[in-house]
Amino acid sequence: DGFESSYKATRDILDPMEIKAQFFLLSDFVGDKNLNSWKGFVTNNIYKSSKIGAQVFDYQKPMSTKEIESLINNGHLMGAHTSTHPNLCDLSSKDQLEHELFYSKKKLEKDFEISIHSMAYPFGGIEHINEEVINTAKSKLSTLDSKTKKINRISGSKAESSLFTKTTESERSSLLKKPKAGSSFVVR
């Protein structure tokens, strides 16, 4: 999502261990523009159709432009996570869907002078994605489903597989062990 806490954890833990991560950013959330209104964005967009609830914590502040640039300069990858974090299945038009998927990518590429090749869809559940979303995203993104690449995501204390693949118990256990230098993780 682009929380400042992800930046701090990377700076304090992953960078000293030479572990690289991929961050999936919400283009309308990250950067300096939302530093005064971020709590409303988190409540109205990130938790809007989530089962988590609307309690917002200070560690959910957005990463600043400088923090994202620091991550990029330290060799971490960025991916798109839509513009506003909607349930993509609830969008009423193809134009809205394309805007959420591709405006986010273009804006991040322009703002940070990078190439974005992957995206993670909001909320991560199978009920938050459908064939139209998949086909639209695959038309312009190289990493979306298990046919292209399998990307594992760490979510809280539970390891889960991102996108459309499932991990085995053995894979989940290995993800939670101390990683070796040079490993990589996906952060959203």
Side-chain angles (χ1 to χ4, degrees):
D1 296 322
F3 294 130
E4 181 186 62
S5 59
S6 297
Y7 166 77
K8 289 178 178 178
T10 301
R11 178 196 64 201
D12 298 344
I13 300 167
L14 299 181
D15 282 348
M17 296 176 69
E18 300 179 21
I19 297 172
K20 301 303 175 194
Q22 181 167 14
F23 297 83
F24 289 95
L25 306 175
L26 299 166
S27 62
D28 287 1
F29 177 58
V30 298
D32 300 332
K33 66 192 168 301
N34 279 325
L35 294 179
N36 294 322
S37 60
W38 67 272
K39 286 187 178 184
F41 188 95
V42 171
T43 301
N44 296 324
N45 296 76
I46 296 174
Y47 287 155
K48 185 175 182 179
S49 62
S50 171
K51 297 175 186 172
I52 296 173
Q55 187 172 6
V56 179
F57 301 96
D58 286 341
Y59 64 80
Q60 293 170 308
K61 272 178 62 176
M63 282 186 223
S64 69
T65 299
K66 184 177 177 181
E67 289 166 336
I68 295 168
E69 288 170 347
S70 174
L71 291 170
I72 293 166
N73 290 335
N74 284 324
H76 300 285
L77 297 175
M78 302 298 131
H81 191 43
T82 70
S83 296
T84 63
H85 206 269
N87 178 341
L88 297 173
C89 292
D90 290 345
L91 298 178
S92 60
S93 74
K94 182 132 178 134
D95 287 342
Q96 283 181 310
L97 176 61
E98 288 181 353
H99 176 81
E100 285 293 336
L101 294 174
F102 305 129
Y103 171 78
S104 172
K105 175 187 184 308
K106 288 177 190 174
K107 181 165 181 11
L108 292 169
E109 288 176 330
K110 180 179 179 266
D111 289 353
F112 298 103
E113 298 178 359
I114 58 174
S115 294
I116 301 282
H117 300 285
S118 56
M119 70 95 51
Y121 62 92
F123 307 109
I126 195 70
E127 68 275 15
H128 299 111
I129 195 141
N130 60 29
E131 191 172 344
E132 180 183 5
V133 172
I134 294 167
N135 289 334
T136 302
K138 283 173 69 172
S139 71
K140 294 186 181 171
L141 295 163
S142 61
T143 304
L144 179 66
D145 68 0
S146 61
K147 291 179 184 166
T148 54
K149 289 184 181 176
K150 180 177 177 182
I151 300 174
N152 291 315
R153 172 173 64 205
I154 301 294
S155 177
S157 63
K158 173 178 131 183
E160 62 184 57
S161 180
S162 178
L163 311 176
F164 308 106
T165 60
K166 297 288 182 195
T167 54
T168 65
E169 186 63 39
S170 171
E171 289 172 312
R172 286 191 293 276
S173 295
S174 70
L175 284 171
L176 297 174
K177 292 178 184 172
K178 183 178 176 183
K180 296 176 183 171
S183 298
S184 62
F185 288 98
V186 174
V187 181
R188 74 171 183 105

